[in-house]
Amino acid sequence: MVNRQGLRAAGAVSVAAAMTGLLAGVLSGCSSAGGGSSSDAAAAAARAGAADTLAADPLTAVRNAADITGRTGSVQDTTTLQTASPTKRVTLHGTGVYNYSTRLGRMEVTVPPGGSTTGRLVEVVSPGIVYMQNSGAKVPAGKWVEVNVEQLADGNLVSSGATDPASAANALRGAQTAQLVDSSTVGGVLLKHYKGTLDLAKASSATGGGAGVGLALGARTFTVKQVPYEVWLDAHGRIHRVTENFTFSQVAGSAAAKDQVQVVSDSAFSGFGVPVSVSLPTSKDIYGAQSSK
């Protein structure tokens, strides 16, 4: 559970205290959800990033992936978040979209049974600010809770049940090692598979701005500083899939194995350049929000 002191685990991550108690007990479970389809999708995907080329050097290819993917304009995302503590395992699934032009993303997930709060979790992410809805929380229907990312110990990298597409990609800017594992054709697209470790603090510096804040917080919170990753890139260098493995302690300051929680975030990108629309909640629909602007 995320609170002002740090991350705590109950098989999944909660954002209760960070939301000033408004969503106490929200089980972390998420991923992205949003619309974006058109008959021109294939053409848009072909145009997006067509001028970019996958670098021959593995480390350069991985570090360039966030910029190249961002130049497509938008992505659709299917995510899975697996959380494992010594006493419980939870797998969360979701879908979503991200618009690189507006720097807004929308994610949606149905929280599975077993947490103190269940139901559909919807999240709109913007640089530095997250807006959340949960049908099982004690918040009026249709209302949103506004949270400053700095209130979340992990910078919202996993506390909402998923790693948003932009953050997952930006983390790769901090890649410290990269090894080409193999190549395979998936859905008619040749993908090269890389693996290595990344440093979130260096990713934050390379990303900068509000988007880098969450990475910096995660760098301080996670107990394994060299984060293992795997990524699959196409011939243009775009991310088709990225998996990142985070570890944190459910007991602040503890390095004991019994207190460690493993979180595996897996995101599959598609629909490069297909137009998507994401909007921020209006002020009248924000419930009990403490201003962060």
Side-chain angles (χ1 to χ4, degrees), residues 177-221:
T177 64
Q179 173 188 353
L180 177 60
V181 178
D182 56 33
S183 300
S184 60
T185 300
V186 179
V189 179
L190 179 64
L191 301 179
K192 290 193 174 183
H193 174 199
Y194 303 86
K195 69 177 181 179
T197 58
L198 60 86
D199 183 312
L200 289 172
K202 292 182 178 179
S204 173
S205 296
T207 300
V213 171
L215 297 171
L217 289 167
R220 293 196 291 270
T221 297

Side-chain angles (χ1 to χ4, degrees), residues 99-111:
N99 187 317
Y100 285 98
S101 298
T102 61
R103 297 191 296 169
L104 297 177
R106 180 181 173 90
M107 304 180 287
E108 185 174 321
V109 70
T110 298
V111 180

Side-chain angles (χ1 to χ4, degrees), residues 69 147 182 241:
T69 303
V147 184
D182 56 33
R241 180 183 173 191

